[in-house]
Amino acid sequence: MALLQISEPGMATIPHQRRLAAGIDLGTTNSLIATVRSGEVVTLADEQGRHLLPSVVYFKADAEPLVGDAAKAHQLTDPLNTIASVKRLMGRGQQDTMQTLAGHLPFKLAVTDSAVPRIQTSAGTVMAHEVAAEILLELKERAEVALGGELSGVVITVPAYFDDAQRQATRDAATLAGLNVYRLLNEPTAAAVAYGLDQQAEGVIAVYDLGGGTFDISILRLEKGVFEVLATGGDSALGGDDFDHAIAEYLLQAAELSTSDNPRLLREALVVARASKEQLSTANEITVQLGEWSGLLTRTQLDGLIAPLVQKTLQACRRVVRDANLAKGDIQQVVLVGGSTRVPLVRSQVADFFQTEPLCSLDPDRVVALGAALQADVLAGNKPDAEMLLLDVIPLSLGLETMGGLVEKIIDRNTTIPVSRAQEFTTFKDGQTSMSIHVLQGERDTVEHCRSLARFVLRGIPPMVAGAARIRVTFQVDADGLLSVSAQELTSGAKSSIEVKPSYGLSDREIMTILQDSVTSVQEDIAARRVREQQVEAERVLEAIDSALKNDGDQLLDHEEKMTILAAREQLAAVRQSTDPQAIEMAIKHLEQAAAFYVERRMNHSIRKAMAGHTVDEFRG
Amino acid sequence: MQSITLPTQWFELFGLPLQFEVDPVVLTQRFRALQTQFHPDRYVNQSDTEKRFAVQATSLINEAYAGLKNPRLRARYLLEQAGIILNDELDTIQDRDFLIQQMQWREAIEEALEDAEPLDALDQVGDEIQAVTLTLYSEFAQVWALKNLERAKQIVLKLRFYERLQEEIRRQQERLDA
């Protein structure tokens, strides 16, 4: 029996000095660093006493980049060199960034043939993870000044829905900043840790995280210090910004203003909308001014405007509860994270949905960093008696491309990590010596709807008849949710292994919509699958008939017979790429009928050949 | 440095007897104990070799846990240990009554979709299927104890059919939700 060798943890470690550790919330708008000091978890401030560091970096030729408020000061005067919201670009590919984000980003992208997009600044071109590294470096320095020493390690939080490429980019940024990353931690899990929910005996909780642009929902089970993530989901294109848009549209309508010839007006309306939303978190009605117009806005009106959006988040909640194999009533507590959970309607709707008053005593902007700091402290070994353990899941399924552009899932979403899974594949053609392996992430059945993570070729497969080779592909996902893939041909031992370096295929708006799409387009997938299956079948039949004809067509068929078969072959060849599965199926049937006598003749022929020189009795054995 | 060896056989790894019945409380306890000892979080300050081992060890623990938690996979694994390898795609069921029943379940799902409250109706069909599944579990436990492997195999194959029905119900519910 195969045994796994492992040395016992803790045996080698001598009682050590307290290590300096920190938790970092690398956010789209703001970032934070927190640590455990004298037994208390706190966020660290800069010299001016500011805790939130705006996630903005200003690049200038022949000068050190500026980070945070200092960079923000240049946003209006030098917008193209002031890089904000870089988190949206992390792990994105050149192509999808250019296509879907180019118009929306307040900076210029350089045109290069690199797979990773580069931002054009007067200090040269920079990549997203390099910008993020500047933010991390600023936080690192802040912490080292405050703590009086070098950081041993950090925990950096990422959205639960971050895919492999985005996690990898975050790790790359930390490496550039000279940080030792203990762990990448999912933001909702960090929030649950911050509330000290591990202290309670046991239970199931939900973390509802509504930020400016994204929505995350996770279900966790807690028991004696162990946090087990049961399921996670959400919507990467739904957040407080959408509330602002809904309000702004209403205000523009009420004021009878049109933004079509005045793009600046929309920006102004959005600013007013945001301020109104914030005021209505406490007030019941306010007076709003937009240009010349002024009017009353009540909380009831606000609620009406944003209700459909809140409803969408609850739909995602329902789905995740089901993914966790639970009923709503099983959720005992709900934690609120993200600035947008300050909106009263969000709080009351979440309370109604889960039938429990949500926890919101911690500052929703800081809660994630606080949780990360607590875990960093445990991982550093500063709390040797701590029982805290975080068991996380993979947010999106991993799979391989199979024949006809279909994706075969190897690891389903919401599987606990680390996870390793192997799958065997075989060759499709006689004598095939290489096989290309295409790794994808997403919920849909077809390659074009999933995110391409990596491609590699397994060579040196010994030539065999189709279907005889056995290729085992192994996926290994580590505790950070990062994937590596290796492949091996089992009969010969030919091995090919890679660390997945993503090819960045998916657009920003598409990250979480992968999940939504997989629901709404189940029907579409079934149809697509049927088409692909028929296309593959057509290829197979064509290949078989061609190979047979080449082999003994002239020997076993007269001219007339051969022409009949070739005619039927042509009919199939003509529709082999058709999107009508029935057309392909009919053509396959037609060819099979036309070639039936030939198939029979070949069988007889090969039996006669095999029996030549033997007695019949030998075969009766 | 003390060295620990981990068995790769699921039941052995979790210190459970090689039988179908598993106490879920004990299973969870063992899982947590194993994770607490081997999770990569316990190895962040150790060498790369040890970190790698921790990832492999916990992958194995997670796989075994997921398998042991799911009665069908547990039953399938028991059969494998007895030398009976199942192929979900190729092994077929000859039991005609069973296949007709499957057709009727499919019809029940379709009827539920026509219901005024399709989500609830689907839940109800799901519950009924779950009840049948539970009787198959206890049937498996019995024939397994009697070492009637051929019947045990048939039950595991049938369980896969019921699992597919439940998957279909889930898919339909997700579609209705969206």
Side-chain angles (χ1 to χ4, degrees), chain A residues 1-2 4-9 11-12 19 183 223 228 319 322-323 375 379-380 391 417-418 476 519, chain B residues 1-6 8 32 37-38 40-41 43-45 50 53 55 57-59 62 170 174 177-178:
Chain A
M1 179 182 304
L4 205 64
Q5 287 269 340
I6 191 157
S7 53
E8 189 167 17
M11 294 302 287
R19 292 193 180 97
R183 187 69 66 233
E223 197 184 335
E228 192 182 346
R319 181 181 155 84
R322 190 177 300 135
D323 265 0
Q375 203 213 4
L379 294 185
L391 306 176
I417 52 174
Q476 173 77 65
V519 179
Chain B
M1 186 178 297
Q2 194 184 332
S3 189
I4 295 172
T5 47
L6 271 184
T8 56
R32 302 231 151 126
Q37 192 171 1
F38 296 110
D41 280 1
Y43 292 81
V44 288
N45 296 305
E50 280 159 300
F53 274 132
V55 171
T58 36
S59 298
N62 283 332
R170 253 176 92 99
E174 281 184 3
D177 256 356

